């Protein structure tokens, strides 16, 4: 790993050039690699060197560039790129767990993460306890000697609740459990999850890392021991690797990641300030606002409020739909971290599957809108939101 600062790493780290010296990262669009001799094929299967590849499901030069770039940014020894964020979450957990193990997880999770913990792991004999992620006392009460991992989203979807990474890591490490963090909402730019005690950090690269809504991808960052000895055997034999073309897209996304996240976060603060106190809204949730109950933790943990603003339209679902339908710039969709601003109605889309009681517990009210702030002009976005609230 180099001593470079973030922006330099994002442009250069992990780059490999062929004998042609191409400027842009090459796409090695190949499933496999020819060996010089039968002996070298044998040797490579016994132990592949750093720049030696066998089969794209195991690894590929373009994918390797992306893995080295994100590991450098995250501050971990290694990383493994996956076909989607969910392949990363599933791999990070399933590769290290076996029947009889115990996992503690925060309850406020992305729907597919909840499915893995609630439906998949339990089917194979893993015991899972769900807790309120913001309540350190609940984490403390839930861990036990059989706890092998804790899992949480460092900033929850869609209500932007933070989990105190340092606090949970201390509790987990006391029983020898691995701390696995889904860090999508916090972004690799604002989060210092590894410094704060996370052992494994997972991203859906579909979000800010691509940042332009082009491709699905995921990545798991961790120690060399975990990535190569625990995760890689599971991923390479079960087939969830990132494609070389997707790796190339993500490599290019990385170059502008810092600039984009900072611009989005600045606009998010502008939007949150413009909305705070509006009589048509109940809660305006943005951890960058001083009024947010976890503002101090957000500043300490991320130094930013992030790139999403969530707000509750008091008049309920029909009004929320009228608001969304009146937006001229922001699109109605369900991605986030995209260059294009996106409005999502969690109760009827991303969190539709949850029971009414669970929606209430998680604060997913009928009027709740999750707004992913894009790269458009902040003044235009505020004007768009205001005209849509008026039209509503
Ligand atoms: C989107 C998302 C995922 C899943 O990622 P995909 O790339 O869609 O598979 C996991 N966790 C969080 C918090 C997400 O936002």
């Amino acid at each position: 790993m180099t001593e470079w600062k973030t922006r330099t790493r994002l442009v250069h780290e992990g780059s490999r050039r062929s004998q042609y010296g191409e400027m842009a990262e090459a796409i090695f669009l190949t499933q496999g690699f020819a060996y010089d001799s039968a002996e070298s094929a044998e040797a490579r299967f016994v132990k592949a060197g750093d720049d030696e590849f066998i089969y794209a499901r195991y690894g590929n030069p373009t994918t390797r560039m992306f893995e080295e770039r994100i590991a450098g940014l995250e501050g971990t020894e290694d990383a493994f790129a996956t076909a989607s964020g969910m392949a990363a979450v599933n791999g990070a957990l399933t590769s290290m767990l076996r029947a009889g193990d115990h996992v503690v997880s925060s309850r406020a999770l992305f729907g597919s993460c909840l499915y893995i913990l609630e439906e998949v792991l339990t089917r194979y004999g893993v015991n899972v306890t769900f807790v309120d992620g913001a309540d350190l006392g609940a984490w403390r009460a839930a861990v036990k000697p059989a706890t092998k991992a804790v899992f949480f989203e460092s900033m929850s979807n869609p209500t932007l609740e933070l989990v105190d990474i340092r606090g949970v890591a201390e509790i987990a490490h006391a029983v020898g459990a691995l701390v696995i963090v889904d860090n999508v909402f916090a972004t690799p730019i604002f989060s210092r999850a590894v410094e704060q005690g996370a052992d494994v950090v997972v991203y859906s690269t579909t979000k800010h890392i691509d940042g332009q809504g082009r491709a699905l991808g995921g990545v798991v960052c961790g120690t060399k021991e975990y990535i190569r000895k625990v995760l890689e055997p599971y991923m390479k034999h079960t087939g969830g690797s990132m494609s070389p073309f997707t790796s190339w897209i993500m490599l290019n996304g990385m170059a502008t990641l810092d600039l984009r996240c900072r611009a989005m976060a600045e606009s998010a603060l502008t939007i949150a300030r413009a909305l705070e106190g509006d009589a048509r809204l109940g809660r305006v949730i943005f951890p960058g606002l001083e009024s947010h109950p976890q503002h101090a933790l957000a500043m300490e943990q991320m130094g930013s409020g992030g790139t999403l603003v969530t707000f509750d339209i008091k008049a309920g679902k029909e009004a929320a739909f009228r608001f969304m339908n009146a937006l001229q710039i922001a699109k109605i969709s369900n991605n986030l971290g995209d260059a294009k601003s996106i409005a999502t109605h969690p109760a009827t889309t991303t969190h539709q599957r949850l029971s009414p009681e669970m929606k209430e517990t998680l604060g997913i009210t009928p009027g709740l809108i999750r707004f992913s702030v894009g790269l458009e002009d902040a003044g235009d976005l505020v004007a768009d939101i205001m005209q849509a609230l008026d039209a509503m």
Side-chain angles (χ1 to χ4, degrees), residues 70 73-74 154-155 182-193 201-204 207-209 257-258 260-262 264-265 301-302 304-308 336-337:
I70 184 90
L73 172 64
E74 199 60 35
S154 53
M155 187 193 253
D182 179 334
N183 222 14
V184 169
F185 277 59
T187 81
I189 296 302
F190 297 129
S191 176
R192 305 258 58 89
V201 180
V202 178
Y203 290 102
S204 161
K207 315 293 167 56
H208 302 80
I209 293 175
L257 183 63
D258 186 80
R260 285 185 288 106
C261 287
R262 290 185 193 286
M264 288 171 172
Q301 195 158 288
M302 296 168 59
S304 166
T307 69
L308 291 106
L336 60 101

Side-chain angles (χ1 to χ4, degrees), residues 84-86 89 110 113 153 182 184-185 204 206-207 216-217 336:
S84 68
M86 286 325 303
V89 171
F110 182 72
C113 295
E153 292 171 14
D182 179 334
V184 169
F185 277 59
S204 161
T206 315
K207 315 293 167 56
L216 282 180
L336 60 101

Side-chain angles (χ1 to χ4, degrees), residues 135-249:
D135 179 357
L136 286 180
W139 287 98
R140 209 169 283 121
V143 297
K144 48 191 182 187
T147 309
K148 288 293 182 302
V150 301
F151 178 79
F152 57 89
E153 292 171 14
S154 53
M155 187 193 253
S156 77
N157 172 25
T159 52
L160 313 182
E161 192 173 81
L162 270 77
V163 173
D164 179 347
I165 299 175
R166 248 183 245 284
V168 175
E170 203 177 296
I171 293 164
H173 289 155
V175 295
L178 205 68
V179 177
I180 305 178
V181 180
D182 179 334
N183 222 14
V184 169
F185 277 59
T187 81
I189 296 302
F190 297 129
S191 176
R192 305 258 58 89
V194 172
E195 261 168 48
Q196 290 155 356
D199 300 301
V200 176
V201 180
V202 178
Y203 290 102
S204 161
T205 68
T206 315
K207 315 293 167 56
H208 302 80
I209 293 175
D210 172 4
Q212 283 141 94
R214 300 166 296 195
L216 282 180
V219 70
V220 184
C221 305
T223 61
K224 203 160 244 347
E225 175 76 17
Y226 171 85
I227 296 293
R228 295 300 150 193
K229 302 262 169 66
V230 179
L231 181 75
E232 186 194 282
Y234 178 84
M235 293 309 302
K236 79 181 189 187
H237 296 302
T238 56
S241 310
M242 182 177 274
S243 86
F245 185 70
T246 298
S247 301
W248 177 80
I249 290 175

Side-chain angles (χ1 to χ4, degrees), residues 86 89-90 93 112-122:
M86 286 325 303
V89 171
N90 182 58
L93 288 162
S112 302
C113 295
L114 188 66
Y115 179 83
I116 288 175
L117 284 146
E118 209 172 31
E119 310 279 339
V120 180
L121 292 179
T122 52

Side-chain angles (χ1 to χ4, degrees), residues 10 17 34 57 59 62 96 142 175 190 216 225-226 258 266 310 362 370 379 385:
L10 287 171
R17 291 191 165 80
R57 176 150 47 73
T62 312
M96 63 152 298
V175 295
F190 297 129
L216 282 180
E225 175 76 17
Y226 171 85
D258 186 80
E266 204 176 293
T310 297
L362 298 177
R370 185 189 82 187
I385 292 171

